[in-house]
């Protein structure tokens, strides 16, 4: 990796942590999944996945190392990897991207409850059912974010990459 790639990855990870912190206090609204979708489809696979890994490590500094914060290290790099593998499909079937974004936003809330398995299966099921409404709303909002914001932001990111390559 060269200096330009490392700088880009650091900037992406910083943006992820800023988006995460900005939306942390807004009930039902999370922008991290949409940002990971944007990065997973607009940047190289290695860059998107590494940015998500660095985001998760930076997040440890903010919220500590817990089973729940470790889930970020599994979830978001996994999303970035899957999306970067599937990005050509989204060119052929554009509606799939917002559906995937909404599904991942929904799934994030559900997967973040998995560490409750350390306590008991019943507690985990209780949290899954209690969090279902929140996850459904997050999924719908993730879908809408992607529908409304993906195209303009992706165009700007591609334009920035093109101008960076010209330098």
């Amino acid at each position: 990796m060269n200096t330009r790639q490392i700088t880009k990855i650091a900037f992406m990870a910083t943006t992820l942590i800023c988006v995460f912190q900005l939306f942390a206090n807004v009930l039902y609204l999370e922008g991290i999944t949409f940002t990971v979708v944007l990065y997973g489809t607009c940047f190289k696979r290695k860059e998107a996945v590494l940015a998500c890994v660095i985001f998760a490590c930076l997040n440890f500094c903010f919220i500590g190392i817990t089973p729940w914060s470790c889930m970020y290290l599994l979830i978001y790099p996994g999303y970035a990897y899957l999306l970067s593998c599937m990005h050509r499909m989204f060119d052929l079937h554009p509606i799939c991207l917002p559906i995937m974004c909404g599904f991942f936003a929904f799934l994030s809330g559900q997967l973040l409850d998995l560490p409750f398995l350390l306590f008991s299966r019943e507690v985990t099921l209780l949290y899954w059912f209690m969090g279902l409404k929140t996850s459904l709303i997050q999924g719908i909002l993730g879908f809408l974010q992607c529908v409304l914001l993906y195209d303009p932001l992706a165009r700007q990111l591609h334009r920035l990459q093109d101008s960076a390559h010209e330098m």
Side-chain angles (χ1 to χ4, degrees), residues 28-31 33-35 37 93-107 135-151:
Y28 300 124
L29 187 60
E30 58 96 20
T33 303
F34 169 70
T35 309
V37 167
H93 308 287
I95 191 63
C96 291
L97 185 62
I99 291 171
M100 192 70 96
C101 184
F103 176 70
F104 281 161
F106 166 79
L107 195 60
S135 294
L136 283 171
I137 293 170
Q138 285 179 331
I140 292 166
L141 291 175
F143 173 84
L144 292 173
Q145 285 174 350
C146 196
V147 166
L148 298 173
L149 299 173
Y150 181 80
D151 286 333

Side-chain angles (χ1 to χ4, degrees), residues 8-38:
K8 185 195 299 184
I9 292 166
F11 179 75
M12 290 165 59
T14 304
T15 306
L16 286 168
I17 203 76
C18 289
V19 166
F20 182 79
Q21 291 299 319
L22 281 170
F23 288 106
N25 296 319
V26 180
L27 187 61
Y28 300 124
L29 187 60
E30 58 96 20
I32 188 74
T33 303
F34 169 70
T35 309
V36 170
V37 167
L38 187 66

Side-chain angles (χ1 to χ4, degrees), residues 8-153:
K8 185 195 299 184
I9 292 166
F11 179 75
M12 290 165 59
T14 304
T15 306
L16 286 168
I17 203 76
C18 289
V19 166
F20 182 79
Q21 291 299 319
L22 281 170
F23 288 106
N25 296 319
V26 180
L27 187 61
Y28 300 124
L29 187 60
E30 58 96 20
I32 188 74
T33 303
F34 169 70
T35 309
V36 170
V37 167
L38 187 66
Y39 288 171
T41 56
C42 292
F43 295 111
K44 294 178 184 169
R45 181 176 304 140
K46 181 167 71 169
E47 294 169 347
V49 171
L50 283 175
C52 291
V53 168
I54 294 169
F55 154 74
C57 293
L58 285 172
N59 204 31
F60 290 150
C61 298
F62 287 101
I63 61 176
I65 299 175
T66 65
W68 293 272
S69 62
C70 289
M71 291 301 290
Y72 292 115
L73 192 56
L74 297 172
I75 294 170
Y76 293 117
Y79 287 178
Y81 183 82
L82 283 172
L83 289 160
S84 64
C85 290
M86 299 170 59
H87 81 276
R88 299 211 190 283
M89 180 190 76
F90 300 132
D91 294 336
L92 299 173
H93 308 287
I95 191 63
C96 291
L97 185 62
I99 291 171
M100 192 70 96
C101 184
F103 176 70
F104 281 161
F106 166 79
L107 195 60
S108 294
Q110 297 302 104
L111 290 176
L112 286 170
D113 287 338
L114 277 179
F116 284 110
L117 282 172
L118 297 172
F119 300 109
S120 78
R121 207 173 336 140
E122 291 80 19
V123 170
T124 304
L125 288 173
L126 179 67
Y127 270 95
W128 270 347
F129 287 125
M130 286 176 33
L132 196 58
K133 180 187 86 164
T134 303
S135 294
L136 283 171
I137 293 170
Q138 285 179 331
I140 292 166
L141 291 175
F143 173 84
L144 292 173
Q145 285 174 350
C146 196
V147 166
L148 298 173
L149 299 173
Y150 181 80
D151 286 333
L153 290 174

